[in-house]
């Protein structure tokens, strides 16, 4: 990887990382306002690049670089082997991240442009703002491992929620089954009560009829005698 600063042309060139043995590069550099600072990186096809950045502006009162300033960062990635075809054009706050995957093998140019709405501390430091960059290349990178760990945590939480949902569904099914059994038992009991009431009514009716018949016969016999 090599880094250059552009003000209409190449001002300086510095080799800062040239091997894939170390998949992640953490560094900081200074950027003047609205002046691109570019990196060149040869990337194999389908290589994932994940980067995190943080811009700091010099505070004249504290005499040090501070975060959370009104700085915006423009990030562009271009394929130099394909007529500078731009594959990333992202503008964000003073702190954020970016990701992209190399569609083809070849040299890629990553540029960072900083701009600020404030004017108090921008030119207080002779070299502008300080931009921290933590960039990881490849699937074995530390940043991607962190992302995978976070994804695994989310997947684990989703599995726990699914298990709880299944438990709730089983509990609801059990409650419905118990309600059905209770309803069937209640209906069976009610049916037996109704049948017993009918039987009692029939028996009482028959008894009354027999008693009336007996009394009638008795009175008839008494009258004849």
């Amino acid at each position: 990887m090599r880094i250059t600063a552009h003000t209409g042309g190449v001002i300086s060139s510095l080799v800062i990382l040239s091997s894939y043995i170390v998949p992640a590069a953490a560094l900081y550099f200074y950027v003047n306002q609205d002046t691109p600072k570019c990196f060149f990186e040869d990337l194999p096809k389908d290589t994932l690049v994940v980067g995190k950045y943080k811009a700091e502006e010099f505070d004249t009162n504290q005499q040090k670089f501070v975060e959370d300033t009104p700085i915006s960062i423009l990030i562009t990635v271009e394929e130099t082997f394909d007529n500078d075809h731009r594959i990333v054009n992202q503008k964000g706050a003073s702190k954020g991240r970016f990701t992209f995957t190399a569609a083809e093998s070849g040299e890629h140019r990553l540029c960072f442009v900083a701009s600020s709405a404030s004017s108090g501390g921008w030119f207080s430091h002779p070299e502008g703002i300080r931009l921290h960059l933590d960039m990881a290349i490849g699937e074995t990178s530390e940043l991607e491992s962190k992302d995978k760990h976070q994804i695994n945590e989310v997947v684990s939480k989703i599995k726990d929620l699914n298990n709880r949902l299944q438990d709730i569904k089983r509990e609801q099914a059990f409650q419905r089954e118990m309600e059905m059994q209770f309803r069937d038992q209640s209906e069976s009991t009610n049916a037996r009560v109704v049948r017993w009431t009918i039987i009692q009514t029939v028996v009482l009716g028959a008894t009354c009829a027999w008693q009336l018949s007996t009394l009638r016969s008795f009175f008839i016999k008494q009258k004849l005698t």
Side-chain angles (χ1 to χ4, degrees), residues 75-223:
I75 303 170
T76 60
V77 180
E78 298 172 342
E79 298 173 336
T80 59
F81 57 88
D82 189 15
N83 295 324
D84 293 337
H85 173 241
R86 181 167 292 182
I87 59 176
V88 175
N89 187 27
Q90 173 182 328
K91 188 173 184 178
S94 60
K95 185 177 181 180
R97 59 173 291 166
F98 63 93
T99 61
F100 70 92
T101 302
E104 298 292 339
S105 300
E107 187 179 63
H108 293 68
R109 178 170 57 238
L110 292 77
C111 293
F112 300 84
V113 181
S115 58
S116 175
S118 64
S119 58
W122 183 260
F123 297 106
S124 299
H125 194 276
E127 300 198 42
I129 68 165
R130 184 163 64 188
L131 184 64
H132 295 260
L133 178 62
D134 188 2
M135 192 167 67
I137 301 173
E139 294 184 353
T140 59
S141 65
E142 179 182 358
L143 290 178
E144 188 183 1
S145 297
K146 293 180 180 178
D147 292 339
K148 286 184 177 180
H149 178 67
Q150 293 177 352
I151 292 174
N152 290 333
E153 288 182 351
V154 173
V155 171
S156 178
K157 291 181 179 179
I158 292 175
K159 288 182 178 179
D160 291 339
L161 291 175
N162 286 332
N163 292 333
R164 293 181 182 179
L165 181 60
Q166 294 299 324
D167 292 339
I168 293 173
K169 288 182 176 179
R170 285 192 292 268
E171 181 67 22
Q172 290 177 343
F174 175 75
Q175 292 294 336
R176 286 194 297 267
E177 184 178 357
M178 294 298 295
E179 289 176 359
M180 291 177 62
Q181 291 179 0
F182 178 76
R183 185 174 62 251
D184 293 341
Q185 185 177 2
S186 298
E187 291 177 353
S188 177
T189 302
N190 292 334
R192 288 196 297 269
V193 170
V194 170
R195 286 196 300 269
W196 180 245
T197 302
I198 294 173
I199 292 171
Q200 285 181 329
T201 302
V202 172
V203 171
L204 289 174
T207 302
C208 291
W210 177 77
Q211 288 180 345
L212 289 174
S213 177
T214 303
L215 289 173
R216 183 180 179 184
S217 299
F218 174 74
F219 287 126
I220 291 173
K221 289 180 179 181
Q222 290 292 329
K223 186 177 181 179

Side-chain angles (χ1 to χ4, degrees), residues 8-122:
V10 178
I11 295 179
S12 63
S13 179
L14 176 66
V15 176
I16 61 174
L17 187 65
S18 60
S19 174
Y20 285 102
I21 297 177
V22 181
L27 67 152
Y28 71 86
F29 49 90
Y30 295 95
V31 182
N32 290 320
Q33 186 174 11
D34 298 326
T35 302
K37 182 81 71 170
C38 297
F39 298 86
F40 292 84
E41 182 68 37
D42 287 322
L43 299 174
K45 182 179 179 179
D46 296 330
T47 299
L48 175 66
V49 178
V50 181
K52 293 184 178 180
Y53 65 89
K54 177 181 66 176
E56 297 176 329
E57 191 173 2
F58 190 77
D59 190 321
T60 54
N61 295 325
Q62 303 182 42
Q63 289 297 308
K64 66 177 182 179
F65 284 93
V66 296
E67 301 181 31
D68 300 326
T69 57
I71 301 173
S72 61
I73 304 296
L74 175 64
I75 303 170
T76 60
V77 180
E78 298 172 342
E79 298 173 336
T80 59
F81 57 88
D82 189 15
N83 295 324
D84 293 337
H85 173 241
R86 181 167 292 182
I87 59 176
V88 175
N89 187 27
Q90 173 182 328
K91 188 173 184 178
S94 60
K95 185 177 181 180
R97 59 173 291 166
F98 63 93
T99 61
F100 70 92
T101 302
E104 298 292 339
S105 300
E107 187 179 63
H108 293 68
R109 178 170 57 238
L110 292 77
C111 293
F112 300 84
V113 181
S115 58
S116 175
S118 64
S119 58
W122 183 260

